[in-house]
Amino acid sequence: MTDEAGETDPQTAIDSVAGNRDDRVYEYSAGDEQEGIPFVGAGPGNPRLLTVAGRDLLADADLVVHAGSLVNSELLEEYCEDAETVSSIGKDLEELIPLMRDAYEAGDTVVRLHSGDPAIYGAALEQMDALEHEGVPTYIVPGVTSAFAASATMRTQLTLNEVANHVAFTRPQGKTLDEDEDHISEFVGMGDVTTCIYLGTHAVGETMDRLLEDGHDPDTPVAAVYHASWPDEDVIEGTIETIGEKVEDAGYRASAMVVIGDAVGGEDYERSFLYGDWANRGSDADSQEADD
């Protein structure tokens, strides 16, 4: 959407979004080929963890607007060799929207490349709404989020029978999140939740201090996986009591996924029903039906 001077006004576009469900919701599924600018999840870092759909879209792109250093440069080198690449770091919506709109309207194939998955702390929707209001269709191509890469690196599951029934994706209080919006302590207090903290590497020590002040078990397992799936990946293991100092000693201030909960160690879980008595009963029932 443009104002009277012909300049892009993304906020007006965002504010004017109607409550009616877009018809494309019922026409397309995730992974379908669609018209417009795709917002592609680049995955956690390793180029091999980009989806097939994302790889194919990047291979055909003329312009790739990417999330700067949050996207592994190896991925750009491998899949964007023939495209112009532009970092979105330091650019506001008033600059990004015309950049992508003008290229698309000029006939270029444009891809917006986000780190991880655009649905998790990606700020994708505001860009999509602004582009849609300027007549440019958009859609999302999912990616692998860093919590899943961290889980794979640690060779565990985020959910484990009789250990963790739930997963919380969250972030700590700070410049963009007020104290009363920080629910990390509540999630940890539930006991059977694996809490995955995004955008909180700089505040690991402070976050753990608050958990200790709230009376949580200091021996609760915690892992901080720096650059999950990148060549310089580093896994720091500890507890609520020790992880803050360990991360500080390592010198990391960004780009680590912090995972709290008993599932971190992959221990003390119970055999699931899926491959136990429940599965056997299913086989017996099938046999009985066949006999009948």
Side-chain angles (χ1 to χ4, degrees), residues 13-226:
I14 294 168
D15 293 341
S16 65
V17 174
N20 296 327
R21 178 64 75 180
D22 194 307
D23 287 341
R24 287 171 296 181
V25 170
Y26 311 106
E27 296 172 1
Y28 297 101
S29 297
D32 287 351
E33 293 185 11
Q34 299 184 44
E35 248 185 77
I37 296 178
F39 279 62
V40 175
N46 189 315
R48 294 184 66 229
L49 295 179
L50 179 70
T51 65
V52 172
R55 179 199 64 193
D56 292 347
L57 287 164
L58 289 175
D60 292 336
D62 299 307
L63 171 65
V64 175
V65 180
H66 62 89
S69 60
L70 297 177
V71 173
N72 189 351
S73 60
E74 292 180 6
L75 186 149
L76 298 176
E77 292 167 3
E78 185 166 345
Y79 299 123
C80 305
E81 184 178 0
D82 297 326
E84 176 188 359
T85 58
V86 176
S87 171
S88 62
I89 301 300
K91 296 180 175 60
D92 57 23
L93 289 181
E94 285 74 10
E95 187 173 357
L96 283 173
I97 300 308
L99 171 68
M100 291 186 284
R101 177 203 62 204
D102 292 349
Y104 180 80
E105 292 180 346
D108 288 342
T109 300
V110 181
V111 172
R112 178 64 168 107
L113 189 63
H114 276 243
S115 60
D117 184 291
I120 306 294
Y121 300 117
L125 194 59
E126 60 196 63
Q127 300 170 68
M128 296 171 69
D129 284 341
L131 284 165
E132 294 276 349
H133 278 78
E134 299 211 6
V136 179
T138 61
Y139 62 100
I140 292 174
V141 177
V144 177
T145 188
S146 56
F148 299 155
S151 174
T153 285
M154 294 187 294
R155 296 177 177 271
T156 187
Q157 295 179 200
L158 299 180
T159 60
L160 279 174
N161 193 37
E162 299 299 324
V163 174
N165 294 310
H166 314 280
V167 180
F169 289 171
T170 187
R171 62 184 299 183
Q173 59 188 263
K175 293 181 180 179
T176 58
L177 197 74
D178 293 334
E179 182 178 346
D180 59 355
E181 296 173 321
D182 182 332
H183 301 296
I184 294 173
S185 184
E186 297 170 46
F187 295 139
V188 174
M190 292 177 185
D192 63 343
V193 176
T194 302
T195 303
C196 302
I197 303 177
Y198 290 73
L199 306 173
T201 313
H202 65 287
V204 173
E206 298 170 10
T207 300
M208 298 304 137
D209 286 344
R210 286 195 293 272
L211 292 178
L212 291 172
E213 290 171 5
D214 288 345
H216 295 293
D217 184 352
D219 293 328
T220 301
V222 184
V225 183
Y226 172 76

